[in-house]
Every structure is written in structure tokens, then in C-alpha cells.
Amino acid sequence: MKIEHIIAHLESIAALTYQEDYDNSGILTGDTGDNCNGVLVSLDCTGDVVREAVEKKCNLIVSHHPLIFRPIRRIIPENGVSKALIQAIKAGISVYAIHTNLDNILSGVNSTIADKLGLINRKILLPRPGNPGIGSGMTGDLSVPLSEKQVLIRLKEEFGIPVIRHSPLTGRTITRIAVCGGAGSFLIPNALQEGAGFFISADIRYHEFFAADGEMVVADIGHFESEQFTVDLIHDIILEKFPNFAVLKSGTKTNPVNYYI
């Protein structure tokens, strides 16, 4: 088994052409022609994740968020990104990111959120021109309508969230929900247009909550929390193709946000 075989399968599911222009998905460091001893799947690639890969004898890390996101002028141990890169290179570990290309497919990151909420009749919220199966966000319907408070309770239970930031409740019964894993506030107008009673995402700024304008509840469940099940998704994608190969889920906590309750 070579690293390039793993990558080829991932890209057959979520092609690199599906990623956003600002993104940096794909192979970030390493030789794809190397034999693969094992894969460690993580949401983020940090120094602790690299150390975990070394301990578990995995020479390929597949993370959702790219380790290299912005241009790097020098690779010296001056920050977390450079340190993790140096660690990976020294250990002979390849690092691969599958980010917005996995966000933008119907069976991708947003489907994991929809699964937890039990949404049916799913479709891409903001599809790309000429391709309704590729794009940002997702809408879906509840099989049984819920009150707004019931939706919030389900979110807390299914995602293990200690606190949810949200716009004022409207008192409506919710049948349609729009979701976007990670930062998705740019989709608020689209969610309104699609008749969603709830929009669930993360990284929503103060003034962006006003955009709901009493027509919809906007809920920020946290970036990590919205994407936490992506590790399971990537793990299952690889294992389905290579059932007898060592594909491990990272046990390293990478969420930098903590809550004082």
C-alpha cells in the first residue's frame, strides 16, 4: 500500500477541484510514493497529532484542516505550524488535508451534521452553477417538526455543546434546517431564501446575528463542535476501500476553545 493509493481514493470521493479558491487541500508534505504503514485521521494537524502518529507508527496524517493554510516564508520552529512541519518531515510523515472539497459534497461534512439532526430531503444550500451536487452548506427537513427550544436541546445533546450562541427565538415550529460546518455566516441569506427556520453553523460575528431579522434562528455551535464528526467520516471513507488497513482516529484533543460554565 502506497500513500498515493490512499490519496487517490480520497480524491475520487472529494476531488481537489471541489475546494474553494482560498483553500489548501491536498498533499502538504511528504512523498506520496512511499509505502504507507498506517493512517492517522484528525480534524487538525498539530505537533501533538504528529507525535501521536509517531507513537502509533502511522506515516500518513489525513486532517480536515490544512496544516499549511497561509503562505510560509521560512520553516523554523517559530510557531506551531512550523514546529509541526519540522516534526513531520523529520519523522518521515506525510500530511494530507481534505478540507473544503470534503465540505462541498453532498455526502461530506454537512451530511454528518444532518445525520445527527435526522434531516431528510437534503440538498446543497448554495450549489455551484451547473452542478447541484457540489457547493456550500446543506438544507434538510425534519421528519417530525420541532419547536425552536427542542432544536436547541437536540443540538446540545447530539453535539455535546455546553453553550449555544443564537439569535432571538421567533416562536415558530421548525420543519426545515440549514447547516454549514465551520464558518458559514455567508450563507445566512441563502438559508432565508430556502425557507429554513434554523441556520446552524459557527464563527458567527455579533452583527451577523441581526441578518436573521426575526425570520429565522441563527445558531453558532462552535467551529470544532460543528466538524467533530468529520474524523469519523474520513476514517470510514478510507476503511470502506481498504478494510484490512490500519486506519486510526486521533485521540488528541485539538479544540483550542474552552468553556467556563
Side-chain angles (χ1 to χ4, degrees):
M1 178 71 65
K2 293 188 180 294
I3 290 171
E4 60 190 1
H5 298 150
I6 305 289
I7 291 174
H9 176 58
L10 289 171
E11 293 179 3
S12 73
I13 304 295
L16 290 180
T17 54
Y18 297 162
Q19 70 177 303
E20 300 296 331
D21 293 340
Y22 60 81
D23 199 11
N24 193 33
S25 292
I27 187 72
L28 302 179
T29 185
D31 187 344
T32 60
D34 287 347
N35 291 330
C36 191
N37 303 324
V39 183
L40 184 67
V41 181
S42 65
L43 189 66
D44 306 283
C45 184
T46 64
D48 288 339
V49 171
V50 175
R51 282 187 285 274
E52 182 184 4
V54 172
E55 292 170 3
K56 295 180 175 178
K57 303 187 187 309
C58 295
N59 65 336
L60 173 61
I61 295 172
V62 177
S63 67
H64 181 50
H65 296 136
L67 173 58
I68 303 172
F69 197 71
R70 296 179 178 85
I72 295 177
R73 295 182 180 276
R74 60 188 67 84
I75 302 178
I76 59 174
E78 61 180 354
N79 56 52
V81 171
S82 294
K83 288 177 182 177
L85 271 174
I86 292 170
Q87 286 177 255
I89 292 169
K90 283 184 175 180
I93 294 174
S94 296
V95 178
Y96 183 86
I98 181 167
H99 189 210
T100 55
N101 50 325
L102 189 61
D103 290 335
N104 287 343
I105 61 174
L106 196 57
S107 59
V109 173
N110 294 311
S111 71
T112 66
I113 302 174
D115 287 344
K116 294 296 179 181
L117 295 172
L119 300 184
I120 58 176
N121 304 324
R122 303 176 191 179
K123 65 177 184 177
I124 298 295
L125 178 56
L126 179 59
R128 292 190 177 178
N131 196 339
I134 302 296
S136 303
M138 179 176 288
T139 60
D141 298 325
L142 291 166
S143 56
V144 178
L146 298 175
S147 71
E148 293 166 330
K149 287 187 177 179
Q150 286 175 318
V151 174
L152 290 172
I153 290 170
R154 181 173 290 185
L155 283 170
K156 285 180 68 69
E157 292 176 347
E158 294 292 337
F159 292 82
I161 307 168
V163 62
I164 299 174
R165 299 166 63 234
H166 64 83
S167 62
L169 302 183
T170 70
R172 294 182 175 89
T173 298
I174 303 303
T175 57
R176 176 164 296 174
I177 294 177
V179 304
C180 181
S185 59
F186 68 99
L187 292 170
I188 292 175
N190 304 92
L192 284 167
Q193 186 176 7
E194 289 296 321
F198 236 89
F199 177 66
I200 300 162
S201 191
D203 299 346
I204 297 170
R205 298 179 180 179
Y206 175 83
H207 292 285
E208 292 169 334
F209 282 100
F210 287 106
D213 198 26
E215 297 297 321
M216 176 178 72
V217 177
V218 174
D220 185 330
I221 64 174
H223 198 120
F224 174 89
E225 289 79 5
S226 72
E227 297 182 330
Q228 61 184 295
F229 304 110
T230 304
V231 171
D232 299 323
L233 174 63
I234 299 170
H235 172 270
D236 292 347
I237 288 173
I238 299 174
L239 205 61
E240 183 178 13
K241 177 70 173 179
F242 308 104
N244 299 316
F245 194 67
V247 186
L248 308 178
K249 301 176 187 177
S250 173
T252 300
K253 178 186 176 183
T254 62
N255 187 6
V257 180
N258 291 271
Y259 302 95
Y260 182 75
I261 306 300

